[in-house]
Each structure stands twice: as structure tokens, then as C-alpha cells.
Amino acid sequence: MGISIDQAVVSNNTLGMLLLLRSSGWAFSYPGRVVYFLVHHGTALCVATLMPLLQPRSYASNTEVLSLERLQTSLLASAVSLVVSMLLALPLIKAGLMSTDRRRRVVGLVGGAAAVVVIAGIDAALILLPSLLSDAFPKKSVASVLVVYAGSAVVSILVLEPLAAVFKFYVLGERARKVVTAKDRARSIVPGSSSAEPSDSADELSVGDAGAIETRELAIEPADQ
């Protein structure tokens, strides 16, 4: 299904796709979009919790939670989370969730849900364990991590994701959404019907049956008179 540039920007935005409640048969189901959102931003939160290892000075106890240095850290976290998402095969999970094949969508949904659980556990451990196990860990660092994550999420949603959508639309030519058709649903129900030929022949039979029914009705009408 062809889409415009504004629709492409919304469809490729992790927050915008959640606002598309009515998507006209879009193969990217709403549960799949929720799972993708959680995986994407869970990864970003994981990166934000690891940023003190890359920039320990910005997480020092004498640093303000809201500062220019924190903004720079948020920008760096956005770039790092983008790379980490590629390494974690997030595009492959998204491809499975957007597939027109029902079985691939189910596999992508299950795999994505498992990734959400694992990432949530890692995030909780990275945020809570240092403050619980070590008195030297500054309490302000937890707030700093959340601020960096919030900043990186805003940059991703408002800047990086729209730019990526524009690049895909104009450069890569991705100007359509994958839509689940009646043939795709039939293939997921009837085993071995992966090719388009059986469905085409079925359409021809249905047309022939309709013609036969009309012929019978015409033949019966004189008898009724």
C-alpha cells in the first residue's frame, strides 16, 4: 500500500507507530509495534546505564543533573544505542514482525517479547544493584541515568528516526507498507498453499461457479412462468 512522506515518517517512528490504531491491514500488528517499542527503548535505557563507563566525569556527584554536559551525553547515548540496536539484530526482529507470513510474525513476536524480558532484567540490574550493593555509588547517578535516557529518547524520536524515514523514502524508495491480504491469510490457514497459483485457480473456479448459478437461474425462470 503506497504511503506519503508524512505517513512514512509516522510509520517509522517508534512513538508515532503506536498512534496508528487503524492501520488498514498493515502487516505490522499493534502488539508487534508495542514489542518493538519496548525492545528499542529498553536497549536505549541499557546504553544510558552504561554511559558512566564511557563518560564517568559527567556522572560525578558534583555535576548537575540538568546540564550541557548531560545533553552531550544524551546525544552520544543516542548514537551508541543506534549501533547497539544494529548489533542486537533489532532490524531482523522488526522484519519478522512486519512479515506478511503469519508464522514469521508469531516468531518475531515471541522473540521480541523474550528480548523485552531479558533487556528489562539487565536494565533493572544495572540501575539498582550498584546503589544497593555499594554505598559509594552516588544516589544522584540513578537520576542522571534516567535524564540521559530521556534525552536520548527525545533525540531519537524527534530527530534520528524522522531523518531515517526521509532517507528510506527518498533514497531507498521505501514508499509502501506491507499489507496482509486475503491470499496471505489463506496461506497461513491452508498448508502447502505458498504459491499464488492455487489462489488464482480458486478465483477462476469461483467465477465459473457464479456463471453456472446464473445460467441455472435463467433456465428455471421460464419453468416458473
Side-chain angles (χ1 to χ4, degrees):
M1 181 177 65
I3 56 176
S4 59
I5 179 61
D6 57 329
Q7 292 174 325
V9 170
V10 175
S11 299
N12 287 277
N13 191 279
T14 53
L15 181 60
M17 65 176 61
L18 296 182
L19 302 178
L20 295 176
L21 300 179
R22 297 180 181 179
S23 50
S24 302
W26 192 14
F28 203 1
S29 66
Y30 198 82
R33 282 175 262 166
V34 173
V35 167
Y36 179 75
F37 176 90
L38 294 176
V39 173
H40 180 88
H41 289 281
T43 302
L45 179 58
C46 183
V47 171
T49 58
L50 294 175
M51 289 304 295
L53 300 177
L54 299 177
Q55 287 188 330
R57 289 194 330 180
S58 63
Y59 288 83
S61 57
N62 59 349
T63 303
E64 295 295 331
V65 175
L66 296 176
S67 62
L68 179 60
E69 190 174 8
R70 196 77 69 220
L71 176 61
Q72 295 173 349
T73 305
S74 297
L75 295 176
L76 179 60
S78 299
V80 173
S81 63
L82 181 62
V83 176
V84 172
S85 297
M86 295 294 181
L87 295 178
L88 293 178
L90 187 58
L92 293 179
I93 296 177
K94 185 178 181 180
L97 293 172
M98 294 180 65
S99 175
T100 56
D101 184 79
R102 182 177 180 274
R103 286 169 292 185
R104 292 181 181 178
R105 290 200 305 273
V106 171
V107 171
L109 191 62
V110 173
V116 169
V117 174
V118 172
I119 293 174
I122 295 175
D123 290 339
L126 291 175
I127 293 176
L128 298 178
L129 287 182
S131 60
L132 294 176
L133 300 179
S134 176
D135 295 334
F137 187 82
K139 301 298 182 181
K140 187 184 291 187
S141 295
V142 176
S144 301
V145 165
L146 296 179
V147 169
V148 169
Y149 161 70
S152 64
V154 170
V155 171
S156 177
I157 292 173
L158 298 183
V159 180
L160 296 182
E161 293 175 14
L163 289 177
V166 171
F167 178 81
K168 291 178 182 179
F169 188 87
Y170 288 110
V171 179
L172 301 182
E174 295 185 7
R175 304 181 180 183
R177 290 181 191 155
K178 291 183 178 180
V179 177
V180 179
T181 63
K183 290 182 181 179
D184 296 324
R185 295 190 183 95
R187 291 171 191 168
S188 62
I189 297 174
V190 181
S193 58
S194 58
S195 63
E197 294 180 1
S199 60
D200 293 340
S201 60
D203 292 340
E204 293 176 359
L205 288 174
S206 63
V207 172
D209 293 342
I213 292 173
E214 291 177 1
T215 305
R216 290 170 190 165
E217 290 178 351
L218 292 175
I220 292 172
E221 284 180 359
D224 293 340
Q225 290 177 356

